[in-house]
Amino acid sequence: MTMQHLLINVSDLTVEFDKGFRCSNINWQLFPGQHWMICGSNGAGKSALAAILTGAGDIDGGYITGVPERIGVVSFEAQAELIEAERRKDDADILDVIAEGTPAGEIIAQVCKDQTLADKLCEQFGLTPLLDRAFRKLSTGETRKVMLIRALTSKPQLLILDEPFEGLDAASLAALQQHLLSLASHIPMVIVLNRLDQCPEFVTHIAFMQDGKLTQQIARDDHDAYQQLTQLMHLKTTQLTLPPTDIDHTLPELDPAKPLVQLKSAAVKYTDTVIFKDLDWTINRGEHWQLTGPNGSGKTALLSLITGDHPQCYVNDIFVFGFKRGSGESIWQIKQFIGYVSTALQWEYTVGTSLRNVIISGFYDSIGLYSKYTDNQRDIANQWLEVLGMRDRADETFTSQSYGDQRLLLIARAMVKHPPLLILDEPCLGLDDMNRQQVLSLIELICARSDSTVLYVNHHAEDKIVGVENYLALDSL
Amino acid sequence: MSTNYFNTLSLREQLEQLGKCRFMHLDEFSDGVDALKGKKMVVIGCGAQGLNQGLNLRDSGLDVSYTLRAEAIAEKRQSWKNATENGFTVGTYEELIPTADVVLNLTPDKQHTAVVNSVMPLMKEGACLSYSHGFNIVEEGMQIRDDLTVIMVAPKCPGSEVRAEYVRGFGVPTLIAVHENNDPKGEGLALAKAYAVGTGGHKAGVLMSSFIAEVKSDLMGEQTILCGMLQTGSLLCFDKMIEEGIDPGYASKLIQYGWETVTEALKYGGVTNMMDRLSNPAKIKAFDLAEEMKDIMRPLYNKHQDDIMTGKFSETMMADWANDDKELLGWRADTAETAYEKTPATEDEITEQEYFDNGILMVAMVKAGVELAFETMTSAGIIADSAYYESLHETPLIANTIARKKLYEMNSTISDTAEYGCYLYNHACVPLLGDFMKNIKSDVIGAGLQLNHTGVDNARLIEVNDAIRNHPVEAIGSTLRGYMSDMKKIV
């Protein structure tokens, strides 16, 4: 590789982002034929480094040259932005009608420059039957696929993939990996990954971010350096203890003889589609469950029947925490027994409140905090911040945190009251190796306690939890 | 046509009703939804308000179903889909209304007479009829059966926000009222309070008002500052920029998104904050322009308020309803033909601050319109709280519709009542500001002041700041916004 072929040159660049985050003094050179993986812990600036290549942030010093015109980008931020844009476009309020939103197919067509490829990818990702459905109505995994297809079919000169594998079912993951491999010969890629074990074969270089600085750049075939990096990523797994719950915050007694949740021939259907039907499920106290199924099989819909967030919970035969749904109970009477974390919750949690308040809001089941809390609750929240290593950031704003850190906070919010039922819908999405281990350990600690029952959704076969012994698999209909 | 209800009252009663408006405290809602517990609530209309209020009420443990016209059910129209996919029982008027303890009329204003006339005979003895706007009762003089209780519950935000805030564990500010002529069992207030709790409104603040205060302030707000001023302002500012040689695409964009951007500042910190976004020289300029416009437009605002109070406005408009909306549709078509409407916005970016710097006249128009509407309403006997909600509070909401699809769409999507009033205002206001506009140059609209130094006289700045901050709309605004954010950030 010679200097005259230098593709992108980042020289002593300092960039300031909207959220107040800074990447400082970045020196980074990308040559043709190279594919980079960016790694680092949550909040280190991995996504920020990738975003710099797309022109994000305000340059405060240094320069960047050689960025190609057409860049295909996939990231949670871009996904959230598109979803938010669709929400804004919704004319419902002005027209007083409920708008359907843009169909997924149209969202792809907006940027697609290769319809044949788009058709092929849609087929491989199992997205073809969903193209007429409104983008907003797709599941988390499905919108992710739409983002991927947009990026891949836009004839990109550079691909920036921020956690491209997260949230994909096994079949789609294999298809994507194979497609990326076929692109590797002619399109340079920059891939942000939290997990070293997911690093594709074709990646030639690894960039390691720490506190907004690019501290290490190594070639994949430099085995010693690679070994050191692996160790660095796994460093400082602390001795974990679960903070106590609030003794003053008592819940109504549950009848120990009754199941926590009982669904009889449950179904979720819309006028044109059936998401699932004839589903029987009983969750007894202390019986931890893992729920699996491909994207779009209705995992989230099923969970939201239990949490009461799905409006069709009122037309199903559902018994939760002693209530027959639709018998005059309020949704807050249900939610008081549940701790919940999911990607959808993270998208909805757009409230500019402090990190501490986000954790305290778990006691009140609210998004944002609208109640007076006690000193004890504040102490408990501080202990959780300690566990997360965020004690010194307690008063910072939630929305200004990185995606992974937000996720950790929402997990703490879900666990803070030691709920009778803890629902974790792909909790580790967007977490780096170290934090993933930590979260899994926390879940195990919670599982081991007799008073919380865990319901866990996950795609990664390797993320098994000790204590989870019951499995429910949803099929794609 | 029935008689205008307001006009049947004595002056003493009129003033008493107009002056009804009280901010209720959280502890007044300690009974929760008890008054509605176990009662059957049937919603007419499944648009954004209807659907989202129903979702909240059901999640609060109440029994909610939807009634639609037989054709809507047979043809499986969107409203039918909305209700069924959300797991609600849907039935015809004949099937559901006779079973209802509370009928929630959430259809558009214009349909009220027809809807109420067809459901009233089906309603059971002693049931409750709820409105979200009082036009039908106050202006059309609809007579409701003596045994029925009539209340109003009006969330002061769009339907999707009503739902989103509830899901977060909060709510949106809500206005409630009881029609005193129809409160045979004295349970109207209890029902309205329970309804407000069911939608989450009590957490964000409830205003106890009257049907009359709601209608007379709502009409005034929508036809003057909310829609009228923005329409007139858009047309005048655009034509002036073209005359001054500003790029038409730029002019079009500055207006389309400018209203939204400047009123966003209004939403957070009132007129004071909106004015504070300008440089000192620009602020003084905007202040002077606003003062001048207020003097010119005051008689027009008074006329609108007078016509609303006497019922002349609704009479004129209802005559047009009876004439197949001939005037309304004609004026709507005229709006579509204006130069502003037909000029597409540029793709070039305009930064948030630039909307202020180059839109000084627009800021001045918002200030003048908000303050005048507020002053006119309060001097007509409407309480400051009501006047605030119907002027300043709602301006950003309407500005947002212009940002989406400019005037033609704003007008076809706001209520027909608001639209009709908006055109009346516009037809009078454009010529009224004719002489004033002759002296306007691109420094206050389109190009910015472009000063080499931004120094101002201290004494003059203090005087202007005082005048802005001490306007009565700022005092009530900071109190009401304070209630909202107090509860939001109770910590």
Side-chain angles (χ1 to χ4, degrees), chain A residues 87-98 100 137 269-272 308-315 325 327-333 335 348 350-353 357 365-373, chain B residues 37 46-52 55 58-62 76 78 80-82 84-88 106 158-161 163 165-170 203 400-401 404-405 409-410 413-414 487-491:
Chain A
R87 197 174 295 174
R88 272 200 304 272
K89 254 201 288 180
D90 185 347
D91 286 331
D93 296 323
I94 313 169
L95 294 164
D96 202 49
V97 297
I98 309 297
E100 285 286 294
K137 290 198 170 171
K269 32 184 125 163
Y270 300 102
T271 358
D272 47 351
D309 290 322
H310 200 295
Q312 291 185 19
C313 64
Y314 291 98
V315 284
R325 286 315 314 269
S327 64
E329 76 293 345
S330 88
I331 195 165
W332 309 109
Q333 285 175 294
K335 285 184 186 271
E348 277 160 28
T350 52
V351 179
T353 191
N357 286 353
D365 312 307
S366 57
I367 294 180
L369 189 56
Y370 314 106
S371 312
K372 280 201 171 92
Y373 58 74
Chain B
K37 205 90 209 177
C46 196
Q49 279 295 343
L51 177 63
N52 288 304
L55 287 167
R58 182 175 63 177
D59 276 344
S60 295
L62 300 173
K76 303 194 168 182
Q78 193 59 41
W80 176 85
K81 262 193 184 177
N82 292 343
T84 13
E85 290 196 344
N86 282 292
F88 288 106
L106 295 173
S160 66
E161 266 184 66
R163 179 63 182 161
E165 288 295 339
Y166 180 89
V167 170
R168 285 179 178 166
F170 199 54
K203 294 184 181 168
N400 177 260
T401 70
R404 292 179 193 220
K405 296 180 178 177
E409 286 298 327
M410 167 187 93
T413 50
I414 55 178
M487 290 190 218
K488 265 202 147 157
K489 296 181 202 137
I490 204 149
V491 287

Side-chain angles (χ1 to χ4, degrees), chain A residues 203-225:
Chain A
V203 165
T204 59
H205 289 76
I206 297 166
F208 182 73
M209 288 294 288
Q210 220 170 356
D211 294 334
K213 293 195 170 66
L214 179 51
T215 54
Q216 293 201 48
Q217 305 181 44
I218 62 165
R220 181 83 174 275
D221 51 17
D222 182 346
H223 293 290
D224 290 346

